[in-house]
Amino acid sequence: MKPFIYNQLPSRVVFGVGALDDLPREITALGAQRALVLSTPEQKAQAEDVARRLGERCAGVFPRAVMHVPIETAREAREEAKRLGADCAIAIGGGSTTGLGKAIALDSGLPIIAIPTTYAGSEMTPVYGLTEGGIKKTGRDARVIPKTVIYDPALTLTLPIGLSVTSAINAIAHAVEGFYVQDANPVTSLMAEEGIRAFADGLRRLVRNPQDLDARSDCLYGACLCGAVFGTVGGALHHKLCHTLGGTWNLPHAETHTVVLPHATAYNAAAAPEAMARIARALGTTDAAQGLFDLAQSLGAPVALRDIGMPGDALDRAADLAAQSPYWNPRPIERAGLRKLLDDAWHGRRPA
Ligand code: NAD
């Protein structure tokens, strides 16, 4: 075996149907007294339900989380936590709400309990994003990792199928890149393979019956594993491309990951054969890139950039931007190869 370094994440995970009932115990375990509950406006009712369960231990509800964490919202939430005397925050929702929790933690050190209700996996990572003056800045900081993550699959029963599938493929992308990033190691690769397997299996059952709690449990388990992979070892070409496309053309986050992933995988295939074999095995197929494309298509997810708002005349500029500031990737970043990748993704071609 080759030598390796593996950094263990410092968070505590509580997983199971009904795990939301453990919330008061988890607040106590953190040594906290009063929590500010965060959510998006769409999930305000869910946040209020959490507040009711907490009674006196709830300092208030802040239902104003939005995509991309505008710095103004983060400041408002921090002020609200201070004003209400909260000594911890609870983020109930997807990556956008978890992102708000992280922004609060970054500045104030307030401990965060994340209760994920999508499959994107942000709750297991020290990666944060903040938007200031229209520009999204991302970074890694150990202070933002939620101290406790409560995974209750019952909370994802209301997640529409479209977002269930695309947020799951966003998380699968974390695992795919985890196999071949510079810091890849046997421990995170084990989690990545199991995470993809759990998702592929869970998603296929989920689209047949969205109320299948067992399938939803498999998907949330996949989110935990794939999120932890990204949180530990980071990403490469695929994440850089999605960040560039999403940031410059304001494309929807999870859908962009879903469309680009098979093509970024195909780009790296010859340079990372061992990774490809493990991805294919986890998907129950023989070719990783084609398997990812077929999975997305069979689940009814978008497979073409042109269908999610990417202008066809912007592909040259996108290739230029993605080729700038070289970063580590198993296959060197070549502009011509990227341009072809983008062309395939824009048309929604099955990788060759
Ligand atoms: P989201 O949090 O933006 O949620 C999308 C919508 O779905 C919101 O209106 C939300 O309220 C609603 N929703 C969430 N759960 C629901 C449920 N169970 N039932 C009904 N509605 C529900 O979506 P997302 O895909 O989880 O997160 C995307 C964001 O997360 C992006 O900004 C992305 O950058 C970030 N992200 C960050 C990381 C990281 O490691 N930092 C990883 C993945 C994603």
Side-chain angles (χ1 to χ4, degrees), residues 39-44 46 65-69 92-99 102 116-129 136 138-139 154-160 163 166-168 170-171 174 216 227 230-231 239 243 253-255 257:
S39 75
T40 60
E42 296 80 20
Q43 287 180 278
K44 187 176 173 196
Q46 228 166 358
V66 286
M67 190 87 126
H68 304 314
V69 197
I92 179 157
S96 296
T97 307
T98 307
K102 288 176 169 181
T117 62
T118 71
Y119 306 126
S122 169
E123 64 282 351
M124 295 300 287
T125 84
V127 179
Y128 65 89
K136 187 167 177 178
T138 59
L155 297 174
T156 69
L157 284 170
T158 51
L159 188 64
L163 190 54
T166 54
S167 70
N170 181 184
H174 304 334
R216 292 220 176 250
F230 185 55
H239 281 81
H243 187 74
H253 180 86
E255 286 89 338
H257 274 271

Side-chain angles (χ1 to χ4, degrees), residues 279-297:
I279 297 162
R281 186 167 67 190
L283 292 168
T285 182
T286 51
D287 182 278
Q290 291 178 354
L292 290 165
F293 183 90
D294 294 343
L295 179 72
Q297 198 168 48

Side-chain angles (χ1 to χ4, degrees), residues 35-91:
L36 177 66
V37 183
L38 314 171
S39 75
T40 60
E42 296 80 20
Q43 287 180 278
K44 187 176 173 196
Q46 228 166 358
E48 285 172 346
D49 175 55
V50 168
R52 261 190 307 277
R53 285 163 176 261
L54 293 180
E56 288 288 289
R57 306 193 66 178
C58 178
V61 174
F62 185 89
R64 297 204 285 280
V66 286
M67 190 87 126
H68 304 314
V69 197
I71 188 124
E72 298 78 14
T73 312
R75 285 188 186 131
E76 246 182 83
R78 281 175 204 147
E79 282 311 309
E80 191 72 345
K82 210 186 284 174
R83 189 181 69 77
L84 296 168
D87 57 3
C88 73
I90 295 168

Side-chain angles (χ1 to χ4, degrees), residues 104-167:
I104 296 175
L106 182 66
D107 192 60
S108 66
L110 210 66
I112 307 298
I113 298 179
I115 308 177
T117 62
T118 71
Y119 306 126
S122 169
E123 64 282 351
M124 295 300 287
T125 84
V127 179
Y128 65 89
L130 268 173
T131 303
E132 188 165 13
I135 295 169
K136 187 167 177 178
K137 184 181 89 174
T138 59
R140 285 180 87 89
D141 194 309
R143 283 175 299 179
V144 309
I145 295 192
K147 297 272 183 287
T148 306
V149 183
I150 298 180
Y151 286 105
D152 186 339
L155 297 174
T156 69
L157 284 170
T158 51
L159 188 64
I161 282 295
L163 190 54
S164 297
V165 170
T166 54
S167 70

Side-chain angles (χ1 to χ4, degrees), residues 12 201 223 254 264 316 320 330 338:
R12 168 177 165 94
D201 196 29
D316 278 319
D320 289 341
L338 287 186

